[in-house]
Amino acid sequence: MEITHLRYFKKTAELEHITKAAQELHVAQPSLSRTISMLEDELKVKLFNRKGKSIELNEYGIIVLNHTNRILKELEAIHREIDDARENSVMNVTFSMNAASTLIPRLVRGFKEEHSDIRLHILQEDLVGDSGQSCDLTLFAGSQPVSGPYCTTLIEEEIRLALPVTNPLAHFDSLTLDQVSKEEFICLQKGKNLRSITDAYCKMAGFDPNVVLESDSPETVRELIRAGIGISFIPILTWQDMEDEHIALVPISTPHCRRYINLSWRESSYLSPAAILFRDYLIKHFAELVK
């Protein structure tokens, strides 16, 4: 049983389509079909139920796929551990930061003060499919907490409405979302974690926000609110220093607007010592935010 055969089988099992799998693997379709047949002959069972031109993973195929995933993850872990041993003088951590980006300077500075020998590679992008698995650690926001062997919730934070003080609603002790349904909003772009969460809360309140401007920069959002262009949603822990004499942060009474900052790490049997240090640092840092 060859590793290449297992890789070919994995892709075919995931797509359940010989032609599409062959295209993604950049191999000829007859060659891929022969590889699958050789694997089935070796195991003495069929791995797919064939229905005309389509295929479907059967009970034997599911067993083989589960073991294949573990085997390939172990192979990846071997390469990573050898790389770490070879480059023990310079340790690298790849970190995907899809939320709380305003904290990047403070996070990096604090960690580098403790571990100057560790090199951080920080990516800022939203999660698409399994893209988070290409990084050692991924920070992301969600409307629900997470819990598992490869993830944890770091903090729960309140989302408030940020209004220019010239807006009459800015002087309320709290607001319901339906009270601002006619307001003009300044939001992040569609697909961003925070935007998806706040859009869902607006839908719960029975409206779609009238978005007049989109910006991925908290600093730009703040200046636009100050200028009276519109109102916005602000997470009060991770978007710090937003409130001043020109901007009021008003609590939302209904619905209960919260988001969770979550951390996940590579789902393999090996996480480098540098990545473990950075993971533990992040957990500690965010715990200090809520004190």
Side-chain angles (χ1 to χ4, degrees), residues 244-263:
D244 57 25
E245 66 272 17
H246 303 291
I247 298 175
L249 296 184
V250 182
I252 303 167
S253 58
T254 306
H256 192 58
C257 294
R258 295 286 189 276
R259 77 167 180 171
Y260 297 86
I261 303 299
N262 304 313
L263 179 68

Side-chain angles (χ1 to χ4, degrees), residues 69-127:
N69 286 334
R70 287 196 289 271
I71 290 168
L72 295 179
K73 283 181 179 179
E74 283 299 319
L75 285 173
E76 180 185 351
I78 289 171
H79 288 292
R80 286 178 55 78
E81 193 163 356
I82 288 175
D83 288 342
D84 282 334
R86 185 189 300 125
E87 301 178 12
N88 58 4
S89 59
V90 179
M91 294 184 288
N92 299 284
V93 179
T94 305
F95 177 46
S96 179
M97 195 164 190
N98 309 310
S101 59
T102 56
L103 301 181
I104 285 179
R106 187 190 311 172
L107 287 171
V108 173
R109 182 174 61 251
F111 185 72
K112 293 293 284 184
E113 286 175 355
E114 297 179 17
H115 305 284
S116 59
D117 57 331
I118 295 177
R119 183 180 299 161
L120 297 177
H121 301 271
I122 299 177
L123 308 175
Q124 287 184 264
E125 56 186 13
D126 285 308
L127 287 172

